[in-house]
Amino acid sequence: MIIDITEIEAIHSFSRLESLKETYGIIWMLLPILILVLGITLGVLVIVWLEREISAGIQQRIGPEYAGPLGILQALADGTKLLFKENLLPSRGDTRLFSIGPSIAVISILLSYSIIPFSYRFILADLSIGVFLWIAISSLAPVGLLMSGYGSNNKYSFLGGLRAAAQSISYEIPLTLCVLSISLLSNSLSTVDIVETQSKYGFWGWNLWRQPIGFIIFLISSLAECERLPFDLPEAEEELVAGYQTEYSGIKFGLFYVASYLNLLISSLFVTVLYLGGWNLFIPNLLGPELFDINKKGKVFGTIIGVFITLAKTYLFLFISIATRWTLPRLRMDQLLNLGWKFLLPISLGNLLLTTSFQLLSL
């Protein structure tokens, strides 16, 4: 049999070309995810620095000042220290649950960032069920906390895990009802559609004015979901040492620390998307559509402006959350559950019924 060498070389070159195309396809698929993760990491470092500076200002202290200019590298130094610390395992605990718990808490929150529109067409996955996907994924985080508390073989840790589960269930229902009210107003569950329905009238088109009760309930419920003061019962240091984090050290403790700030950042982003108009400016598009409509700008320039506006609104809400931590005292567990079940749940249900009635009347 005579084998044509040119044909063999053509087949090899074709196979190499196909493998290169597959490699480039994988790289282009992973690149947006990598950029998003890097941006989230940078955002968390900024939040940690802001919290230390704001809390120092409220308490009339100096705050971090030695690690880098104005102490901006302090969070990075703390993360590096936790990375090189020894990981200790409880001798009589369930090591599998103990190790898996922090990972579930972080991964479930990280997945929620995929549906956040940072600017016009600047989103990782524009899904038709975006906001409900966030609620479904975020409800997995307390499972990780409960696993951590149970696997630690520590009564304080287990009680902290139980508190985290009870608190999440109590406040996730009012939060879901508020999101459903916004979805009814926008006739969509997509986060991009929700932002675009608020863009026509600028500042006055925000859902903040159409859903003021829902905004307040969402604000309170998101603080409770993030376990921030006055709702930090799962890790109340005066009662439970450190709650479900008591037996943790090193990078596993750092994962819980990162998860709390990731949750705070995603909640602030959703407040911006659902109630504050997302990437849109304060000025109505009706007054100057060519000048102020970000969607009609150039791709790169419009995207940069949209991301800047989204982050500005987000960090404004973050300032409110940080200031609340150093202003209000901690609630008791019975007060926390009473607030969720006896007040926020009926009010959010009534708000949903009112929204539904107005939408039916407007048809």
Side-chain angles (χ1 to χ4, degrees):
M1 180 183 291
I2 301 174
I3 300 174
D4 192 351
I5 299 176
T6 57
E7 289 183 3
I8 296 175
E9 291 179 351
I11 291 171
H12 283 308
S13 62
F14 180 76
S15 62
R16 283 197 298 269
L17 183 63
E18 288 298 318
S19 62
L20 281 174
K21 285 183 179 179
E22 291 179 2
T23 305
Y24 283 131
I26 294 172
I27 291 173
W28 279 111
M29 183 178 65
L30 295 177
L31 186 62
I33 300 174
L34 180 62
I35 293 173
L36 182 62
V37 170
L38 290 176
I40 293 167
T41 306
L42 183 61
V44 168
L45 293 176
V46 172
I47 293 173
V48 174
W49 177 76
L50 276 177
E51 176 149 38
R52 294 187 174 190
E53 288 291 333
I54 294 170
S55 60
I58 293 174
Q59 298 176 343
Q60 296 181 346
R61 297 185 285 106
I62 296 175
E65 59 175 348
Y66 293 108
L70 300 176
I72 58 175
L73 299 179
Q74 186 63 53
L76 193 62
D78 292 341
T80 307
K81 178 188 71 174
L82 288 173
L83 185 63
F84 289 102
K85 271 193 170 183
E86 182 182 3
N87 276 319
L88 301 176
L89 297 175
S91 58
R92 297 184 180 179
D94 191 325
T95 55
R96 287 179 298 177
L97 295 181
F98 187 82
S99 301
I100 293 172
S103 304
I104 291 178
V106 172
I107 292 171
S108 62
I109 299 170
L110 273 176
L111 289 175
S112 304
Y113 284 88
S114 61
I115 57 171
I116 290 291
F118 291 92
S119 184
Y120 180 64
R121 294 181 181 175
F122 194 67
I123 180 174
L124 197 61
D126 182 15
L127 303 177
S128 59
I129 55 166
V131 286
F132 275 1
L133 180 67
W134 165 56
I135 293 170
I137 293 174
S138 62
S139 62
L140 296 176
V143 177
L145 305 184
L146 190 58
M147 290 168 62
S148 303
Y150 181 78
S152 298
N153 191 30
N154 182 310
K155 292 180 180 179
Y156 291 123
S157 300
F158 187 50
L159 188 56
L162 290 175
R163 281 186 172 187
Q167 181 170 319
S168 176
I169 294 169
S170 301
Y171 285 86
E172 197 153 325
I173 299 173
L175 188 141
T176 305
L177 293 175
C178 294
V179 171
L180 187 56
S181 301
I182 294 294
S183 301
L184 283 173
L185 282 177
S186 307
N187 294 319
S188 176
L189 294 173
S190 168
T191 49
V192 175
D193 293 341
I194 291 172
V195 173
E196 288 182 344
T197 53
Q198 304 175 66
S199 62
K200 188 175 181 181
Y201 299 104
F203 179 73
W204 300 110
W206 291 357
N207 288 328
L208 171 65
W209 311 116
R210 297 192 286 175
Q211 287 282 310
I213 298 174
F215 174 73
I216 296 171
I217 296 173
F218 191 94
L219 183 69
I220 297 171
S221 300
S222 61
L223 285 177
E225 286 286 314
C226 297
E227 297 169 9
R228 303 277 299 179
L229 267 168
F231 303 106
D232 66 335
L233 273 299
E235 51 189 70
E237 65 272 7
E238 291 90 350
E239 307 166 23
L240 302 179
V241 185
Y244 53 83
Q245 306 175 10
T246 303
E247 298 292 336
Y248 282 90
S249 62
I251 190 60
K252 292 177 183 175
F253 175 79
L255 286 177
F256 279 126
Y257 191 74
V258 169
S260 65
Y261 284 102
L262 285 173
N263 209 357
L264 182 60
L265 181 58
I266 192 70
S267 298
S268 304
L269 283 166
F270 267 102
V271 169
T272 302
V273 168
L274 298 177
Y275 291 97
L276 302 181
W279 65 79
N280 293 297
L281 283 168
F282 303 90
I283 303 169
N285 293 342
L286 298 175
L287 298 180
E290 296 298 328
L291 184 61
F292 299 113
D293 191 1
I294 293 174
N295 302 347
K296 296 179 181 178
K297 296 286 185 184
K299 288 184 178 180
V300 177
F301 182 66
T303 300
I304 292 173
I305 294 178
V307 170
F308 177 77
I309 294 171
T310 302
L311 292 181
K313 295 176 182 177
T314 301
Y315 278 93
L316 175 64
F317 176 76
L318 281 169
F319 173 79
I320 297 172
S321 303
I322 294 170
T324 304
R325 177 180 179 181
W326 301 102
T327 306
L328 300 177
R330 180 183 294 122
L331 298 177
R332 295 197 314 266
M333 194 63 194
D334 61 322
Q335 292 174 334
L336 180 137
L337 294 177
N338 284 336
L339 177 64
W341 289 104
K342 294 183 179 179
F343 292 94
L344 296 186
L345 179 58
I347 294 172
S348 59
L349 191 57
N351 181 57
L352 176 61
L353 292 175
L354 279 175
T355 306
T356 308
S357 303
F358 281 123
Q359 287 295 101
L360 289 174
L361 290 173
S362 63
L363 292 177

